[in-house]
Amino acid sequence: KELFQDKDVMVGVSAAALGDRGSIPIANDAALTIVHAHMLDNILSDSFVRPLKDWSLISLLLAIAWAISILSLRGRVVPSTVMCWVVFGGICFGAYQSLVVNQIVIPLSAPLMAIAFSALGGNLYRRFIVEKQERFVREGFGRFVSPDVLDQLMNEPAEMKLQGRRRHVSVLFSDIVGYTTLSNELTEMEIVYL
């Protein structure tokens, strides 16, 4: 009687032929008394797996959506998609660590949906709005300025100012003999082909 006083005792069978064996997450064939002992240990030590709190999950989803949207808007489609997968891999690793270390379950479906919708929205916005504006500017200014100036305009639009700048440049003025007479005799299309 004193041997079992103030102790938790579990009695179970573990022989293979008695049928109290089955699959558990770490083994395909284990004595199911292990499951009961583990459950009793969790109850006594108040060590339960808990879900992530709602406000923490919402904060996580907002942070993911913000980060992915920025990645999608700043970069091209393929690199931003690769970064989305890297972020999702990081979330999976973090969720695993959270479960193992803190016994907190982070659902992966909500972050995956946040990544997918943020990336899709950012890439669609970039494709149909931003790139359309870039094409318009390239087509409009591309006829009048050099490719270097056009690239500078596209890459650093804030640096382009409407007022003049003082620079050292070389300018060549030339005149073609008889051009004025020739241009008065030819049509506009013929002049362009010259």
Side-chain angles (χ1 to χ4, degrees), residues 128-166:
F128 291 111
I129 304 298
V130 175
E131 288 181 4
K132 183 179 178 182
Q133 291 172 345
E134 287 178 3
R135 277 193 306 275
F136 177 75
V137 170
R138 283 195 181 276
E139 290 170 2
F141 282 106
R143 292 182 247 163
F144 305 111
V145 296
S146 70
D148 293 336
V149 173
L150 186 60
D151 287 340
Q152 184 180 6
L153 174 67
M154 298 307 296
N155 294 333
E156 301 168 9
E159 293 295 319
M160 302 304 284
K161 296 180 175 59
L162 293 177
Q163 70 267 9
R165 291 187 194 166
R166 186 176 293 263

PDB file of all heavy atoms in Angstrom, residues 128-166:
ATOM      1  N   PHE A 128      -0.621  45.525 -64.263  1.00  0.00           N
ATOM      2  CA  PHE A 128      -1.624  46.286 -65.004  1.00  0.00           C
ATOM      3  C   PHE A 128      -1.586  47.791 -64.758  1.00  0.00           C
ATOM      4  O   PHE A 128      -2.087  48.546 -65.576  1.00  0.00           O
ATOM      5  CB  PHE A 128      -3.034  45.751 -64.707  1.00  0.00           C
ATOM      6  CG  PHE A 128      -3.244  44.384 -65.282  1.00  0.00           C
ATOM      7  CD1 PHE A 128      -3.376  43.286 -64.457  1.00  0.00           C
ATOM      8  CD2 PHE A 128      -3.289  44.194 -66.648  1.00  0.00           C
ATOM      9  CE1 PHE A 128      -3.555  42.018 -64.983  1.00  0.00           C
ATOM     10  CE2 PHE A 128      -3.467  42.930 -67.183  1.00  0.00           C
ATOM     11  CZ  PHE A 128      -3.599  41.841 -66.351  1.00  0.00           C
ATOM     12  N   ILE A 129      -1.014  48.231 -63.668  1.00  0.00           N
ATOM     13  CA  ILE A 129      -0.983  49.668 -63.390  1.00  0.00           C
ATOM     14  C   ILE A 129       0.432  50.223 -63.562  1.00  0.00           C
ATOM     15  O   ILE A 129       0.674  51.083 -64.407  1.00  0.00           O
ATOM     16  CB  ILE A 129      -1.497  49.969 -61.957  1.00  0.00           C
ATOM     17  CG1 ILE A 129      -2.900  49.389 -61.744  1.00  0.00           C
ATOM     18  CG2 ILE A 129      -1.459  51.461 -61.686  1.00  0.00           C
ATOM     19  CD1 ILE A 129      -3.966  49.958 -62.645  1.00  0.00           C
ATOM     20  N   VAL A 130       1.360  49.721 -62.776  1.00  0.00           N
ATOM     21  CA  VAL A 130       2.710  50.283 -62.761  1.00  0.00           C
ATOM     22  C   VAL A 130       3.426  50.052 -64.084  1.00  0.00           C
ATOM     23  O   VAL A 130       3.980  50.981 -64.672  1.00  0.00           O
ATOM     24  CB  VAL A 130       3.523  49.700 -61.580  1.00  0.00           C
ATOM     25  CG1 VAL A 130       4.958  50.175 -61.610  1.00  0.00           C
ATOM     26  CG2 VAL A 130       2.864  50.054 -60.261  1.00  0.00           C
ATOM     27  N   GLU A 131       3.413  48.816 -64.574  1.00  0.00           N
ATOM     28  CA  GLU A 131       4.117  48.536 -65.831  1.00  0.00           C
ATOM     29  C   GLU A 131       3.445  49.213 -67.014  1.00  0.00           C
ATOM     30  O   GLU A 131       4.116  49.588 -67.977  1.00  0.00           O
ATOM     31  CB  GLU A 131       4.241  47.032 -66.048  1.00  0.00           C
ATOM     32  CG  GLU A 131       5.239  46.396 -65.093  1.00  0.00           C
ATOM     33  CD  GLU A 131       5.397  44.902 -65.303  1.00  0.00           C
ATOM     34  OE1 GLU A 131       4.789  44.344 -66.250  1.00  0.00           O
ATOM     35  OE2 GLU A 131       6.133  44.281 -64.518  1.00  0.00           O
ATOM     36  N   LYS A 132       2.143  49.399 -66.959  1.00  0.00           N
ATOM     37  CA  LYS A 132       1.451  50.126 -68.018  1.00  0.00           C
ATOM     38  C   LYS A 132       1.912  51.578 -68.047  1.00  0.00           C
ATOM     39  O   LYS A 132       2.169  52.143 -69.111  1.00  0.00           O
ATOM     40  CB  LYS A 132      -0.066  50.041 -67.801  1.00  0.00           C
ATOM     41  CG  LYS A 132      -0.875  50.702 -68.884  1.00  0.00           C
ATOM     42  CD  LYS A 132      -2.356  50.553 -68.605  1.00  0.00           C
ATOM     43  CE  LYS A 132      -3.178  51.256 -69.663  1.00  0.00           C
ATOM     44  NZ  LYS A 132      -4.605  51.175 -69.386  1.00  0.00           N
ATOM     45  N   GLN A 133       2.056  52.178 -66.859  1.00  0.00           N
ATOM     46  CA  GLN A 133       2.553  53.546 -66.783  1.00  0.00           C
ATOM     47  C   GLN A 133       4.005  53.629 -67.262  1.00  0.00           C
ATOM     48  O   GLN A 133       4.379  54.572 -67.964  1.00  0.00           O
ATOM     49  CB  GLN A 133       2.442  54.072 -65.351  1.00  0.00           C
ATOM     50  CG  GLN A 133       1.023  54.291 -64.906  1.00  0.00           C
ATOM     51  CD  GLN A 133       0.922  54.628 -63.428  1.00  0.00           C
ATOM     52  OE1 GLN A 133       1.864  54.447 -62.664  1.00  0.00           O
ATOM     53  NE2 GLN A 133      -0.243  55.102 -63.018  1.00  0.00           N
ATOM     54  N   GLU A 134       4.810  52.635 -66.904  1.00  0.00           N
ATOM     55  CA  GLU A 134       6.201  52.623 -67.361  1.00  0.00           C
ATOM     56  C   GLU A 134       6.276  52.508 -68.884  1.00  0.00           C
ATOM     57  O   GLU A 134       7.082  53.190 -69.522  1.00  0.00           O
ATOM     58  CB  GLU A 134       6.966  51.473 -66.712  1.00  0.00           C
ATOM     59  CG  GLU A 134       7.280  51.693 -65.261  1.00  0.00           C
ATOM     60  CD  GLU A 134       8.001  50.511 -64.625  1.00  0.00           C
ATOM     61  OE1 GLU A 134       8.317  49.526 -65.349  1.00  0.00           O
ATOM     62  OE2 GLU A 134       8.247  50.568 -63.412  1.00  0.00           O
ATOM     63  N   ARG A 135       5.449  51.650 -69.466  1.00  0.00           N
ATOM     64  CA  ARG A 135       5.425  51.523 -70.940  1.00  0.00           C
ATOM     65  C   ARG A 135       5.004  52.831 -71.586  1.00  0.00           C
ATOM     66  O   ARG A 135       5.567  53.237 -72.605  1.00  0.00           O
ATOM     67  CB  ARG A 135       4.472  50.399 -71.358  1.00  0.00           C
ATOM     68  CG  ARG A 135       5.080  49.027 -71.316  1.00  0.00           C
ATOM     69  CD  ARG A 135       4.213  47.994 -72.020  1.00  0.00           C
ATOM     70  NE  ARG A 135       2.851  47.941 -71.536  1.00  0.00           N
ATOM     71  CZ  ARG A 135       2.451  47.233 -70.493  1.00  0.00           C
ATOM     72  NH1 ARG A 135       3.323  46.530 -69.813  1.00  0.00           N
ATOM     73  NH2 ARG A 135       1.198  47.233 -70.112  1.00  0.00           N
ATOM     74  N   PHE A 136       4.018  53.497 -71.002  1.00  0.00           N
ATOM     75  CA  PHE A 136       3.547  54.771 -71.544  1.00  0.00           C
ATOM     76  C   PHE A 136       4.676  55.806 -71.531  1.00  0.00           C
ATOM     77  O   PHE A 136       4.895  56.511 -72.517  1.00  0.00           O
ATOM     78  CB  PHE A 136       2.345  55.273 -70.725  1.00  0.00           C
ATOM     79  CG  PHE A 136       1.841  56.612 -71.157  1.00  0.00           C
ATOM     80  CD1 PHE A 136       1.106  56.754 -72.320  1.00  0.00           C
ATOM     81  CD2 PHE A 136       2.120  57.742 -70.391  1.00  0.00           C
ATOM     82  CE1 PHE A 136       0.641  57.993 -72.718  1.00  0.00           C
ATOM     83  CE2 PHE A 136       1.665  58.985 -70.783  1.00  0.00           C
ATOM     84  CZ  PHE A 136       0.919  59.116 -71.957  1.00  0.00           C
ATOM     85  N   VAL A 137       5.397  55.882 -70.410  1.00  0.00           N
ATOM     86  CA  VAL A 137       6.499  56.840 -70.309  1.00  0.00           C
ATOM     87  C   VAL A 137       7.617  56.468 -71.283  1.00  0.00           C
ATOM     88  O   VAL A 137       8.159  57.328 -71.986  1.00  0.00           O
ATOM     89  CB  VAL A 137       7.031  56.908 -68.859  1.00  0.00           C
ATOM     90  CG1 VAL A 137       8.317  57.699 -68.778  1.00  0.00           C
ATOM     91  CG2 VAL A 137       5.973  57.502 -67.942  1.00  0.00           C
ATOM     92  N   ARG A 138       7.956  55.181 -71.363  1.00  0.00           N
ATOM     93  CA  ARG A 138       9.022  54.750 -72.280  1.00  0.00           C
ATOM     94  C   ARG A 138       8.647  55.047 -73.731  1.00  0.00           C
ATOM     95  O   ARG A 138       9.490  55.510 -74.502  1.00  0.00           O
ATOM     96  CB  ARG A 138       9.308  53.262 -72.116  1.00  0.00           C
ATOM     97  CG  ARG A 138      10.110  52.955 -70.890  1.00  0.00           C
ATOM     98  CD  ARG A 138      10.693  51.546 -70.933  1.00  0.00           C
ATOM     99  NE  ARG A 138      11.434  51.286 -69.730  1.00  0.00           N
ATOM    100  CZ  ARG A 138      12.691  51.639 -69.535  1.00  0.00           C
ATOM    101  NH1 ARG A 138      13.334  52.280 -70.468  1.00  0.00           N
ATOM    102  NH2 ARG A 138      13.301  51.361 -68.415  1.00  0.00           N
ATOM    103  N   GLU A 139       7.404  54.770 -74.102  1.00  0.00           N
ATOM    104  CA  GLU A 139       6.988  55.030 -75.481  1.00  0.00           C
ATOM    105  C   GLU A 139       6.923  56.519 -75.767  1.00  0.00           C
ATOM    106  O   GLU A 139       7.276  56.970 -76.853  1.00  0.00           O
ATOM    107  CB  GLU A 139       5.640  54.372 -75.761  1.00  0.00           C
ATOM    108  CG  GLU A 139       5.714  52.853 -75.816  1.00  0.00           C
ATOM    109  CD  GLU A 139       4.338  52.196 -75.841  1.00  0.00           C
ATOM    110  OE1 GLU A 139       3.316  52.919 -75.858  1.00  0.00           O
ATOM    111  OE2 GLU A 139       4.293  50.950 -75.831  1.00  0.00           O
ATOM    112  N   GLY A 140       6.466  57.308 -74.789  1.00  0.00           N
ATOM    113  CA  GLY A 140       6.334  58.752 -74.997  1.00  0.00           C
ATOM    114  C   GLY A 140       7.671  59.467 -75.037  1.00  0.00           C
ATOM    115  O   GLY A 140       7.953  60.239 -75.952  1.00  0.00           O
ATOM    116  N   PHE A 141       8.526  59.199 -74.047  1.00  0.00           N
ATOM    117  CA  PHE A 141       9.806  59.899 -73.977  1.00  0.00           C
ATOM    118  C   PHE A 141      10.892  59.227 -74.812  1.00  0.00           C
ATOM    119  O   PHE A 141      11.887  59.851 -75.160  1.00  0.00           O
ATOM    120  CB  PHE A 141      10.285  59.986 -72.520  1.00  0.00           C
ATOM    121  CG  PHE A 141       9.592  61.041 -71.728  1.00  0.00           C
ATOM    122  CD1 PHE A 141       8.641  60.699 -70.784  1.00  0.00           C
ATOM    123  CD2 PHE A 141       9.903  62.369 -71.924  1.00  0.00           C
ATOM    124  CE1 PHE A 141       8.000  61.665 -70.049  1.00  0.00           C
ATOM    125  CE2 PHE A 141       9.263  63.351 -71.192  1.00  0.00           C
ATOM    126  CZ  PHE A 141       8.308  63.000 -70.256  1.00  0.00           C
ATOM    127  N   GLY A 142      10.714  57.950 -75.116  1.00  0.00           N
ATOM    128  CA  GLY A 142      11.743  57.209 -75.843  1.00  0.00           C
ATOM    129  C   GLY A 142      12.065  57.797 -77.202  1.00  0.00           C
ATOM    130  O   GLY A 142      13.160  57.616 -77.729  1.00  0.00           O
ATOM    131  N   ARG A 143      11.117  58.510 -77.794  1.00  0.00           N
ATOM    132  CA  ARG A 143      11.351  59.122 -79.106  1.00  0.00           C
ATOM    133  C   ARG A 143      12.150  60.412 -78.998  1.00  0.00           C
ATOM    134  O   ARG A 143      12.719  60.864 -79.981  1.00  0.00           O
ATOM    135  CB  ARG A 143      10.015  59.425 -79.778  1.00  0.00           C
ATOM    136  CG  ARG A 143       9.264  58.162 -80.155  1.00  0.00           C
ATOM    137  CD  ARG A 143       7.978  58.509 -80.842  1.00  0.00           C
ATOM    138  NE  ARG A 143       6.903  58.081 -79.944  1.00  0.00           N
ATOM    139  CZ  ARG A 143       5.671  58.477 -80.020  1.00  0.00           C
ATOM    140  NH1 ARG A 143       5.322  59.358 -80.919  1.00  0.00           N
ATOM    141  NH2 ARG A 143       4.781  58.020 -79.197  1.00  0.00           N
ATOM    142  N   PHE A 144      12.207  61.032 -77.836  1.00  0.00           N
ATOM    143  CA  PHE A 144      12.788  62.359 -77.703  1.00  0.00           C
ATOM    144  C   PHE A 144      14.079  62.413 -76.888  1.00  0.00           C
ATOM    145  O   PHE A 144      14.810  63.384 -76.981  1.00  0.00           O
ATOM    146  CB  PHE A 144      11.765  63.311 -77.071  1.00  0.00           C
ATOM    147  CG  PHE A 144      10.475  63.348 -77.828  1.00  0.00           C
ATOM    148  CD1 PHE A 144       9.319  62.810 -77.286  1.00  0.00           C
ATOM    149  CD2 PHE A 144      10.410  63.902 -79.095  1.00  0.00           C
ATOM    150  CE1 PHE A 144       8.131  62.833 -77.980  1.00  0.00           C
ATOM    151  CE2 PHE A 144       9.219  63.932 -79.803  1.00  0.00           C
ATOM    152  CZ  PHE A 144       8.074  63.396 -79.250  1.00  0.00           C
ATOM    153  N   VAL A 145      14.323  61.414 -76.054  1.00  0.00           N
ATOM    154  CA  VAL A 145      15.522  61.453 -75.220  1.00  0.00           C
ATOM    155  C   VAL A 145      16.333  60.176 -75.445  1.00  0.00           C
ATOM    156  O   VAL A 145      15.827  59.172 -75.940  1.00  0.00           O
ATOM    157  CB  VAL A 145      15.174  61.598 -73.721  1.00  0.00           C
ATOM    158  CG1 VAL A 145      14.484  62.905 -73.447  1.00  0.00           C
ATOM    159  CG2 VAL A 145      14.336  60.438 -73.220  1.00  0.00           C
ATOM    160  N   SER A 146      17.589  60.220 -75.037  1.00  0.00           N
ATOM    161  CA  SER A 146      18.473  59.067 -75.217  1.00  0.00           C
ATOM    162  C   SER A 146      18.056  57.943 -74.262  1.00  0.00           C
ATOM    163  O   SER A 146      17.416  58.185 -73.237  1.00  0.00           O
ATOM    164  CB  SER A 146      19.920  59.466 -74.943  1.00  0.00           C
ATOM    165  OG  SER A 146      20.092  59.713 -73.563  1.00  0.00           O
ATOM    166  N   PRO A 147      18.450  56.705 -74.564  1.00  0.00           N
ATOM    167  CA  PRO A 147      18.127  55.588 -73.664  1.00  0.00           C
ATOM    168  C   PRO A 147      18.684  55.773 -72.251  1.00  0.00           C
ATOM    169  O   PRO A 147      18.060  55.362 -71.283  1.00  0.00           O
ATOM    170  CB  PRO A 147      18.767  54.373 -74.351  1.00  0.00           C
ATOM    171  CG  PRO A 147      18.834  54.750 -75.791  1.00  0.00           C
ATOM    172  CD  PRO A 147      19.054  56.228 -75.822  1.00  0.00           C
ATOM    173  N   ASP A 148      19.859  56.423 -72.131  1.00  0.00           N
ATOM    174  CA  ASP A 148      20.424  56.656 -70.800  1.00  0.00           C
ATOM    175  C   ASP A 148      19.543  57.584 -69.968  1.00  0.00           C
ATOM    176  O   ASP A 148      19.291  57.344 -68.789  1.00  0.00           O
ATOM    177  CB  ASP A 148      21.830  57.253 -70.911  1.00  0.00           C
ATOM    178  CG  ASP A 148      22.820  56.268 -71.504  1.00  0.00           C
ATOM    179  OD1 ASP A 148      22.565  55.054 -71.395  1.00  0.00           O
ATOM    180  OD2 ASP A 148      23.834  56.715 -72.064  1.00  0.00           O
ATOM    181  N   VAL A 149      19.078  58.654 -70.586  1.00  0.00           N
ATOM    182  CA  VAL A 149      18.202  59.596 -69.889  1.00  0.00           C
ATOM    183  C   VAL A 149      16.887  58.915 -69.538  1.00  0.00           C
ATOM    184  O   VAL A 149      16.339  59.102 -68.442  1.00  0.00           O
ATOM    185  CB  VAL A 149      17.968  60.860 -70.745  1.00  0.00           C
ATOM    186  CG1 VAL A 149      16.917  61.760 -70.108  1.00  0.00           C
ATOM    187  CG2 VAL A 149      19.263  61.606 -70.951  1.00  0.00           C
ATOM    188  N   LEU A 150      16.363  58.105 -70.445  1.00  0.00           N
ATOM    189  CA  LEU A 150      15.109  57.389 -70.201  1.00  0.00           C
ATOM    190  C   LEU A 150      15.260  56.414 -69.033  1.00  0.00           C
ATOM    191  O   LEU A 150      14.381  56.336 -68.166  1.00  0.00           O
ATOM    192  CB  LEU A 150      14.661  56.654 -71.472  1.00  0.00           C
ATOM    193  CG  LEU A 150      13.312  55.983 -71.414  1.00  0.00           C
ATOM    194  CD1 LEU A 150      12.221  57.003 -71.136  1.00  0.00           C
ATOM    195  CD2 LEU A 150      13.042  55.250 -72.707  1.00  0.00           C
ATOM    196  N   ASP A 151      16.372  55.683 -68.996  1.00  0.00           N
ATOM    197  CA  ASP A 151      16.602  54.764 -67.876  1.00  0.00           C
ATOM    198  C   ASP A 151      16.718  55.518 -66.554  1.00  0.00           C
ATOM    199  O   ASP A 151      16.203  55.072 -65.536  1.00  0.00           O
ATOM    200  CB  ASP A 151      17.871  53.939 -68.112  1.00  0.00           C
ATOM    201  CG  ASP A 151      17.679  52.878 -69.181  1.00  0.00           C
ATOM    202  OD1 ASP A 151      16.508  52.516 -69.458  1.00  0.00           O
ATOM    203  OD2 ASP A 151      18.684  52.424 -69.750  1.00  0.00           O
ATOM    204  N   GLN A 152      17.387  56.664 -66.571  1.00  0.00           N
ATOM    205  CA  GLN A 152      17.496  57.467 -65.362  1.00  0.00           C
ATOM    206  C   GLN A 152      16.122  57.963 -64.919  1.00  0.00           C
ATOM    207  O   GLN A 152      15.798  57.963 -63.731  1.00  0.00           O
ATOM    208  CB  GLN A 152      18.437  58.651 -65.594  1.00  0.00           C
ATOM    209  CG  GLN A 152      18.672  59.472 -64.352  1.00  0.00           C
ATOM    210  CD  GLN A 152      19.599  60.644 -64.606  1.00  0.00           C
ATOM    211  OE1 GLN A 152      19.982  60.908 -65.739  1.00  0.00           O
ATOM    212  NE2 GLN A 152      19.943  61.349 -63.552  1.00  0.00           N
ATOM    213  N   LEU A 153      15.297  58.347 -65.861  1.00  0.00           N
ATOM    214  CA  LEU A 153      13.945  58.804 -65.551  1.00  0.00           C
ATOM    215  C   LEU A 153      13.117  57.676 -64.934  1.00  0.00           C
ATOM    216  O   LEU A 153      12.386  57.880 -63.971  1.00  0.00           O
ATOM    217  CB  LEU A 153      13.255  59.320 -66.825  1.00  0.00           C
ATOM    218  CG  LEU A 153      11.784  59.690 -66.694  1.00  0.00           C
ATOM    219  CD1 LEU A 153      11.633  60.905 -65.788  1.00  0.00           C
ATOM    220  CD2 LEU A 153      11.187  59.970 -68.054  1.00  0.00           C
ATOM    221  N   MET A 154      13.246  56.467 -65.468  1.00  0.00           N
ATOM    222  CA  MET A 154      12.452  55.341 -64.967  1.00  0.00           C
ATOM    223  C   MET A 154      12.961  54.846 -63.608  1.00  0.00           C
ATOM    224  O   MET A 154      12.168  54.473 -62.755  1.00  0.00           O
ATOM    225  CB  MET A 154      12.484  54.177 -65.966  1.00  0.00           C
ATOM    226  CG  MET A 154      11.873  54.518 -67.313  1.00  0.00           C
ATOM    227  SD  MET A 154      10.211  55.193 -67.222  1.00  0.00           S
ATOM    228  CE  MET A 154       9.324  53.830 -66.544  1.00  0.00           C
ATOM    229  N   ASN A 155      14.281  54.848 -63.416  1.00  0.00           N
ATOM    230  CA  ASN A 155      14.836  54.308 -62.178  1.00  0.00           C
ATOM    231  C   ASN A 155      14.824  55.301 -61.027  1.00  0.00           C
ATOM    232  O   ASN A 155      14.735  54.908 -59.871  1.00  0.00           O
ATOM    233  CB  ASN A 155      16.270  53.822 -62.415  1.00  0.00           C
ATOM    234  CG  ASN A 155      16.309  52.635 -63.349  1.00  0.00           C
ATOM    235  OD1 ASN A 155      15.363  51.881 -63.434  1.00  0.00           O
ATOM    236  ND2 ASN A 155      17.404  52.488 -64.061  1.00  0.00           N
ATOM    237  N   GLU A 156      14.944  56.594 -61.325  1.00  0.00           N
ATOM    238  CA  GLU A 156      14.987  57.613 -60.281  1.00  0.00           C
ATOM    239  C   GLU A 156      14.085  58.783 -60.657  1.00  0.00           C
ATOM    240  O   GLU A 156      14.562  59.872 -60.972  1.00  0.00           O
ATOM    241  CB  GLU A 156      16.425  58.101 -60.109  1.00  0.00           C
ATOM    242  CG  GLU A 156      17.399  57.009 -59.740  1.00  0.00           C
ATOM    243  CD  GLU A 156      18.843  57.464 -59.862  1.00  0.00           C
ATOM    244  OE1 GLU A 156      19.078  58.661 -60.073  1.00  0.00           O
ATOM    245  OE2 GLU A 156      19.718  56.614 -59.760  1.00  0.00           O
ATOM    246  N   PRO A 157      12.774  58.574 -60.647  1.00  0.00           N
ATOM    247  CA  PRO A 157      11.876  59.643 -61.071  1.00  0.00           C
ATOM    248  C   PRO A 157      11.940  60.875 -60.162  1.00  0.00           C
ATOM    249  O   PRO A 157      11.707  61.990 -60.607  1.00  0.00           O
ATOM    250  CB  PRO A 157      10.493  59.009 -61.047  1.00  0.00           C
ATOM    251  CG  PRO A 157      10.618  57.807 -60.197  1.00  0.00           C
ATOM    252  CD  PRO A 157      12.049  57.374 -60.272  1.00  0.00           C
ATOM    253  N   ALA A 158      12.287  60.704 -58.911  1.00  0.00           N
ATOM    254  CA  ALA A 158      12.345  61.853 -57.996  1.00  0.00           C
ATOM    255  C   ALA A 158      13.527  62.759 -58.321  1.00  0.00           C
ATOM    256  O   ALA A 158      13.516  63.943 -57.994  1.00  0.00           O
ATOM    257  CB  ALA A 158      12.452  61.364 -56.555  1.00  0.00           C
ATOM    258  N   GLU A 159      14.555  62.206 -58.959  1.00  0.00           N
ATOM    259  CA  GLU A 159      15.734  62.998 -59.295  1.00  0.00           C
ATOM    260  C   GLU A 159      15.502  63.913 -60.495  1.00  0.00           C
ATOM    261  O   GLU A 159      16.242  64.856 -60.723  1.00  0.00           O
ATOM    262  CB  GLU A 159      16.920  62.068 -59.595  1.00  0.00           C
ATOM    263  CG  GLU A 159      17.409  61.305 -58.388  1.00  0.00           C
ATOM    264  CD  GLU A 159      17.989  62.213 -57.327  1.00  0.00           C
ATOM    265  OE1 GLU A 159      18.714  63.160 -57.682  1.00  0.00           O
ATOM    266  OE2 GLU A 159      17.698  61.980 -56.146  1.00  0.00           O
ATOM    267  N   MET A 160      14.485  63.605 -61.291  1.00  0.00           N
ATOM    268  CA  MET A 160      14.210  64.413 -62.473  1.00  0.00           C
ATOM    269  C   MET A 160      13.452  65.666 -62.045  1.00  0.00           C
ATOM    270  O   MET A 160      12.385  65.583 -61.458  1.00  0.00           O
ATOM    271  CB  MET A 160      13.400  63.610 -63.502  1.00  0.00           C
ATOM    272  CG  MET A 160      14.089  62.331 -63.961  1.00  0.00           C
ATOM    273  SD  MET A 160      15.722  62.598 -64.643  1.00  0.00           S
ATOM    274  CE  MET A 160      15.307  63.244 -66.219  1.00  0.00           C
ATOM    275  N   LYS A 161      14.020  66.813 -62.350  1.00  0.00           N
ATOM    276  CA  LYS A 161      13.398  68.075 -61.974  1.00  0.00           C
ATOM    277  C   LYS A 161      13.061  68.850 -63.243  1.00  0.00           C
ATOM    278  O   LYS A 161      13.717  68.713 -64.265  1.00  0.00           O
ATOM    279  CB  LYS A 161      14.346  68.877 -61.094  1.00  0.00           C
ATOM    280  CG  LYS A 161      14.629  68.188 -59.762  1.00  0.00           C
ATOM    281  CD  LYS A 161      15.569  69.019 -58.928  1.00  0.00           C
ATOM    282  CE  LYS A 161      15.777  68.449 -57.558  1.00  0.00           C
ATOM    283  NZ  LYS A 161      16.298  67.166 -57.471  1.00  0.00           N
ATOM    284  N   LEU A 162      12.028  69.679 -63.161  1.00  0.00           N
ATOM    285  CA  LEU A 162      11.597  70.442 -64.325  1.00  0.00           C
ATOM    286  C   LEU A 162      12.479  71.658 -64.581  1.00  0.00           C
ATOM    287  O   LEU A 162      12.491  72.177 -65.681  1.00  0.00           O
ATOM    288  CB  LEU A 162      10.138  70.858 -64.161  1.00  0.00           C
ATOM    289  CG  LEU A 162       9.132  69.714 -64.176  1.00  0.00           C
ATOM    290  CD1 LEU A 162       7.730  70.248 -63.929  1.00  0.00           C
ATOM    291  CD2 LEU A 162       9.187  68.962 -65.492  1.00  0.00           C
ATOM    292  N   GLN A 163      13.182  72.137 -63.593  1.00  0.00           N
ATOM    293  CA  GLN A 163      14.043  73.283 -63.841  1.00  0.00           C
ATOM    294  C   GLN A 163      15.355  72.798 -64.468  1.00  0.00           C
ATOM    295  O   GLN A 163      15.663  71.638 -64.460  1.00  0.00           O
ATOM    296  CB  GLN A 163      14.308  74.078 -62.564  1.00  0.00           C
ATOM    297  CG  GLN A 163      15.190  73.379 -61.552  1.00  0.00           C
ATOM    298  CD  GLN A 163      14.403  72.591 -60.527  1.00  0.00           C
ATOM    299  OE1 GLN A 163      13.197  72.424 -60.668  1.00  0.00           O
ATOM    300  NE2 GLN A 163      15.071  72.103 -59.514  1.00  0.00           N
ATOM    301  N   GLY A 164      16.125  73.742 -64.971  1.00  0.00           N
ATOM    302  CA  GLY A 164      17.368  73.404 -65.646  1.00  0.00           C
ATOM    303  C   GLY A 164      18.470  73.033 -64.671  1.00  0.00           C
ATOM    304  O   GLY A 164      18.361  73.227 -63.468  1.00  0.00           O
ATOM    305  N   ARG A 165      19.558  72.507 -65.232  1.00  0.00           N
ATOM    306  CA  ARG A 165      20.735  72.149 -64.448  1.00  0.00           C
ATOM    307  C   ARG A 165      21.963  72.703 -65.147  1.00  0.00           C
ATOM    308  O   ARG A 165      22.027  72.750 -66.373  1.00  0.00           O
ATOM    309  CB  ARG A 165      20.875  70.635 -64.344  1.00  0.00           C
ATOM    310  CG  ARG A 165      19.826  69.989 -63.519  1.00  0.00           C
ATOM    311  CD  ARG A 165      20.167  68.529 -63.346  1.00  0.00           C
ATOM    312  NE  ARG A 165      19.007  67.822 -62.826  1.00  0.00           N
ATOM    313  CZ  ARG A 165      18.896  66.527 -62.813  1.00  0.00           C
ATOM    314  NH1 ARG A 165      19.843  65.783 -63.306  1.00  0.00           N
ATOM    315  NH2 ARG A 165      17.833  65.967 -62.314  1.00  0.00           N
ATOM    316  N   ARG A 166      22.946  73.058 -64.380  1.00  0.00           N
ATOM    317  CA  ARG A 166      24.205  73.540 -64.932  1.00  0.00           C
ATOM    318  C   ARG A 166      25.117  72.323 -65.124  1.00  0.00           C
ATOM    319  O   ARG A 166      25.396  71.593 -64.179  1.00  0.00           O
ATOM    320  CB  ARG A 166      24.846  74.529 -63.981  1.00  0.00           C
ATOM    321  CG  ARG A 166      26.093  75.185 -64.534  1.00  0.00           C
ATOM    322  CD  ARG A 166      26.603  76.216 -63.566  1.00  0.00           C
ATOM    323  NE  ARG A 166      25.679  77.324 -63.452  1.00  0.00           N
ATOM    324  CZ  ARG A 166      25.797  78.469 -64.119  1.00  0.00           C
ATOM    325  NH1 ARG A 166      26.801  78.626 -64.960  1.00  0.00           N
ATOM    326  NH2 ARG A 166      24.930  79.445 -63.961  1.00  0.00           N
TER     327      ARG A 166
END
